[in-house]
Amino acid sequence: MSGELDIIATSAFGLEAVVARELEQLGYQPKIISTGRVLFRGTARDVARANVRLRAADRVLVRVASFPADNFDALFDRTKDLPWERWIPRDGAFPVNGRSVKSQLSSVPACQRTVKKAIVERLMRGHATRDLPETGVRTIIEVAILENIASITLDTSGDGLHKRGYRDIVGDAALKETMAAGLVLLSVWNADRPLVDPFCGTGTIVIEAAMIGLGLAPGRSRSFDAENWAWIGKDVFDDERAAGNVATREKLAYTIHGSDVSETALALARRHAERAGVARHIHFQKRAFADLQSKAEYGCIVTNPPYGERMGEDEAIERLYRSFPDVLRRLPTWSHHILTARLDLEQLVGQPATRRRKLFNAQIECTYYQFLGPRPERRDARDGVCESPDPDAAASERNSAGGESIGVGAPPESAASWDAGEPTSVAASENGSNEFAAGSIATGHELLTRAPREHTPAMPAFGGLRERDRRELDEFEGRLAKRVRHLRRWPDKGITCYRIYERDCPDVPVTIDRYEGHAHIFEYEREHGRTLAQHIEWIDDIARRTARVLGIDEANVHAKSRPRQKGLTQHEKLDAQGTTLVANEGGLRFEVNLTDYADTGLFLDHRITRGMVREMSGGKRVLNLFCYTGSFTVYAAAGGAKETTSVDLSNTYLDWAERNLRLNGLDGPRHRFVRSDVMEFLRGHKPGRHYDIAIVDPPTFSNSKSTEQDWDVQKAHVELLTRVGGLMASGGVVFFSNNSRRFKIDEAALAEVFEIREISQRTVPEDFRNERIHRCWRMVVR
């Protein structure tokens, strides 16, 4: 075969524009003709060059014919008319593959048999023989019929082009080399920027990146079927392999880094990098994603993290993905490129991607999310001024081949390209029409999708505070400093645990409590427009400013950014750090936990109420319902209570309450702890006048798994208080409180049992700006 050939480079769905751009850079004029197929014209030498040089293509085919074929006679006759004796020797092997999409000839095996029979008849006539042993050189033939148009091609590659030759041992869930190269080519990375794959596995992405950066041809170390064909020959392939083995640069500006938690995978990665000839350009390290950090700037992460199909632990994967914003914000100038099958990635990381593209990793539908950071500054040659262009232009920095695009909708027939073993049709748009025009490179299913970015061009991909955030935080810091000055003498009064900030600035809705030399920050949910990473940074800045104003170490500032969620119990656990300290109040000592729960174990707004209980507890029998960590019990015991009974459903808090008594040397048999649902305790209590003082401080709502019914203080308070009153001595006092803003006490229903007086104005301390932090009633039994 002489002269120019119709050459087709096949690819996985979504990489057609990448292959087309590669061909453009090699000097050809490519044309995307269907999903997974890019056509260009060239000679036999160009067949060799494409096989050796193309990084994202799956195979290189030579199209020998294309003709209408809506019946088997047409398919047979047109195939038989082709000069097969020119391409296949008498002893040549010629397996026939086939596929058919939206065509009359829908039986692929029947099409294969028809083409095979036609070629056999032509070869026997052309070689003047009745014997075709098929023991010689292999020529793989493919018949592909799309909408009744048959294309007959010769596969010049043989083994798929992903088989570079360096990966002799395949690890679990390994990414194809062609896909890995495509991910790098779609990124904004170039050889002058850092690159990290924090989930590198057996190293395919970083190895492909190193070869791209060094200019080493991917096929320089392998063989191809066509080099054994007489009409193409081995010499052109040898020439191309030799040229491709010469690097265009000696070293990269930065060593590429690959990390993983599997030492087994890393051992394979090192082996593969050595075999690929790029080992000295890559550093592999065993490291968890949570420990990712780098001092380098303007780098790129290109990665294929686990997404469930290969780990089988969806909950663990979700936790991993939710950690992305907090980890990636440590790299404020970097851009991040993530291939995953998780369609909810943007929800998990709390922000939209800058760009997305649909790809198929084997048969798994994936999306390639790109979160672009600021672009490196470049020096303008005209005036020497450095400028930082819009990051949305960054994809054109190296390989912009459709990098800003996404396939809208899956390929109608298959999850793969034509060459991946399943028939596919041309990708269609959402309205069903064929979107790409003949000759276009980045159209069709390569539709541009750019997410809106509120932040300025210099903003990090993850994190970074907006100008309005900084203004609000400056106002917050000024207000906090004023509050600290106002309360500066409180420690001299013996009050070392108190509130210093309570949503004073509407745009910074947090509370800050001081516990000795520590600060506890709790955020309240409010619409703010920040991404998750930005919000984490906002919380961190609040913590830094709080430490500065209070003059304490940042390590002693404990911030909780998760709001209390509807449906959780009041004291739902948030963490497991176990940061505890002993706080002093009223001459007593209490264990507080500043990290693990929404509340610390000591409600500071009941400081005065606790003092009231202590003053009147001498010689009294005290009942503490919903006792939590037992602070009221400790005060009662310190006041000389004859006995105390503390009731709570949680063993954790009952144990905590006992520790608080021991801290003050007040533990002993006079103090009883009962694990029980409060209503069950009251309903099952022996009748009689057993108590003189009762503290009833229930949660507003609770749906503990340990109880059959949800708790709602508004619905339950009448029965609750009536039963408490029935166990109290005449003249006994009940301190009843809750923090529900909508709560309305039913005094009429309780009038026969109690004399009721609200004392909230006396019990809410002055350090609490919110005078309705709780409501409290003093109820005397009639």
Side-chain angles (χ1 to χ4, degrees), residues 10-11 34-37 59 61 75 96-103 105-112 115 140-153 155 363 413-414 416-425:
T10 71
S11 75
S34 66
T35 297
R37 295 200 164 202
R59 295 176 184 276
L61 313 176
L75 179 62
V96 178
N97 297 330
R99 58 203 66 229
S100 175
V101 177
K102 296 182 179 179
S103 300
L105 302 180
S106 58
S107 172
V108 173
C111 293
Q112 291 172 273
V115 169
I140 300 173
I141 299 163
E142 181 189 70
V143 52
I145 306 176
L146 173 63
E147 295 181 340
N148 296 320
I149 302 296
S151 292
I152 308 295
T153 58
D155 184 350
Q363 299 299 309
E413 302 296 332
S414 169
S417 73
W418 277 70
D419 195 60
E422 293 289 339
T424 69
S425 71

Side-chain angles (χ1 to χ4, degrees), residues 67 71-82 84 114 118 121-122:
F67 50 83
N71 60 76
F72 287 109
D73 288 340
L75 179 62
F76 180 88
D77 292 341
R78 293 297 299 271
T79 301
K80 184 178 178 181
D81 287 341
L82 297 173
W84 292 102
T114 300
E121 291 193 9
R122 175 70 190 216

